[in-house]
Amino acid sequence: MSTPYPPPPPCSAGKGETPTPAYTDSTTLVTAQATPRALLSDADFNAVMHTILDNNPGMDPFLASRILVDALAFLAAAARTDGGLVPSRVVDEGWHAPILHTGLYESLCARLGGFVHHVPERPDPGRSSQSSIEQTIDAIAAAGYTVDRELWRGPTDATVTVAANCQHSGPEGPIVIIPKPKG
């Protein structure tokens, strides 16, 4: 299983401290600012990731971190877009987790430019559209992020199992941004 994101670093920075660059490979130093992972401190990322793990007993922590990273990329793109974006069911699981950390979520949305409300819909494969998912993936790419395609499959795909029992459909979907993005 290949992923564009390495696992999250351990909590190395204290509250108010700037994390050091997180990952290296043979050709590139990727600083925390280069990924959606940088939107949260190490401590906040790990706290939210553990919420995903708590809601999905037996889930591999690496998978939970991948889900959270893509949820953060989705949230960043959604905050800059005037509606029409929908997370996959798997990424929606990652979106639910920071929402439960209300202060963190409010602060994160403010830094991203607008509060992104979550209005769940019951799963209904008849309402789901792969074109809506592709539109969202394109918006995430336009925001400068890469998606983990394995996490962006349709609602009937069982490759990754999550507890979330909601989906979001189409451009008229239930994502509300306050204030409305400019531009």
Side-chain angles (χ1 to χ4, degrees), residues 70-151:
D70 271 41
L72 291 169
F74 164 76
L75 184 60
R80 299 178 188 138
T81 305
D82 192 14
L85 300 186
V86 297
S88 68
R89 186 164 182 218
V90 173
V91 173
D92 195 47
E93 178 73 25
W95 185 19
H96 293 172
I99 291 171
L100 295 175
H101 298 254
T102 58
L104 178 147
Y105 187 74
E106 178 184 37
S107 172
L108 177 60
C109 285
R111 286 185 287 122
L112 293 172
F115 195 87
V116 182
H117 288 273
H118 179 282
V119 182
E121 295 178 340
R122 299 289 300 167
D124 179 358
R127 277 195 329 256
S128 181
S129 153
Q130 191 60 33
S131 65
S132 294
I133 295 288
E134 292 300 326
Q135 177 183 346
T136 300
I137 289 170
D138 291 345
I140 291 170
Y145 302 114
T146 302
V147 301
D148 183 340
R149 296 289 295 199
E150 185 176 340
L151 305 178

Side-chain angles (χ1 to χ4, degrees), residues 48-64:
V48 175
M49 182 183 72
H50 280 282
T51 298
I52 295 170
L53 292 169
D54 290 346
N55 291 333
N56 295 276
M59 180 179 278
D60 180 71
F62 181 66
L63 176 58

Side-chain angles (χ1 to χ4, degrees), residues 5-53:
Y5 303 110
C11 294
S12 62
K15 194 163 189 83
E17 294 177 349
T18 303
T20 56
Y23 312 112
T24 61
D25 66 25
S26 61
T27 60
T28 309
L29 173 66
V30 180
T31 64
Q33 288 73 30
T35 72
R37 166 66 187 83
L39 294 171
L40 297 178
S41 70
D42 289 348
D44 287 342
F45 186 91
N46 286 325
V48 175
M49 182 183 72
H50 280 282
T51 298
I52 295 170
L53 292 169

